[in-house]
């Protein structure tokens, strides 16, 4: 078990999934197949909020990409919200405070 061995690729995958749903890729692909170009508002990730349940290395790498690359607000839920490595999160919630994260 190598800490951080796959953090970058998993963080990129997480962002790929966020973009897939945010950009409505399934809808765009269907439009392309059917040669129908319906108009719709395509939103951006900028200024959106992302939440992490657990804030280990993979979540922190993902949070850095979200924050620096997309200007997103980052929330984290972790057992020890006072850990020093939580600086990437705009707010860290404890397990007991999880309802407020939502």
């Amino acid at each position: 078990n190598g800490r951080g061995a796959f953090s970058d690729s998993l963080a990129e995958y997480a962002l790929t999934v966020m973009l897939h749903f945010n950009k409505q890729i399934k809808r765009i692909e269907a439009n392309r197949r059917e040669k129908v170009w319906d108009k719709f508002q395509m939103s951006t990730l900028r200024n959106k909020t992302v939440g992490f349940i657990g804030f280990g290395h993979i979540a922190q790498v993902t949070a850095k990409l979200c924050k620096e690359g997309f200007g997103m607000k980052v929330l984290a839920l972790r057992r020890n919200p006072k850990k020093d490595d939580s600086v990437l999160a705009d707010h860290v919630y404890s397990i007991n405070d999880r309802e407020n994260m939502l």
Side-chain angles (χ1 to χ4, degrees):
N1 194 4
R3 175 180 154 86
F6 299 104
S7 296
D8 289 336
S9 59
L10 288 170
E12 289 174 8
Y13 176 76
L15 274 169
T16 300
V17 172
M18 287 182 219
L19 287 165
H20 174 84
F21 288 107
N22 186 267
K23 299 298 181 189
Q24 302 180 52
I25 300 300
K26 189 174 182 178
R27 180 181 187 172
I28 292 169
E29 284 294 311
N31 283 345
R32 184 189 57 78
R33 271 191 311 279
E34 297 163 15
K35 296 184 176 157
V36 175
W37 308 109
D38 64 328
K39 293 181 181 180
F40 64 96
Q41 184 73 29
M42 187 178 287
S43 63
T44 65
L45 290 179
R46 184 157 309 283
N47 299 321
K48 294 273 183 1
T49 301
V50 62
F52 294 94
I53 308 299
F55 206 56
H57 195 257
I58 294 167
Q60 289 175 29
V61 172
T62 308
K64 185 174 182 179
L65 292 173
C66 289
K67 200 170 192 67
E68 294 176 0
F70 292 94
M72 297 176 76
K73 181 179 177 185
V74 174
L75 305 179
L77 176 74
R78 66 183 330 178
R79 279 179 273 181
N80 182 1
K82 305 224 185 296
K83 265 184 117 173
D84 290 340
D85 62 354
S86 297
V87 295
L88 288 168
D90 294 300
H91 191 71
V92 181
Y93 295 88
S94 70
I95 292 290
N96 298 329
D97 203 22
R98 65 187 174 271
E99 302 275 330
N100 292 324
M101 183 176 168
L102 303 174

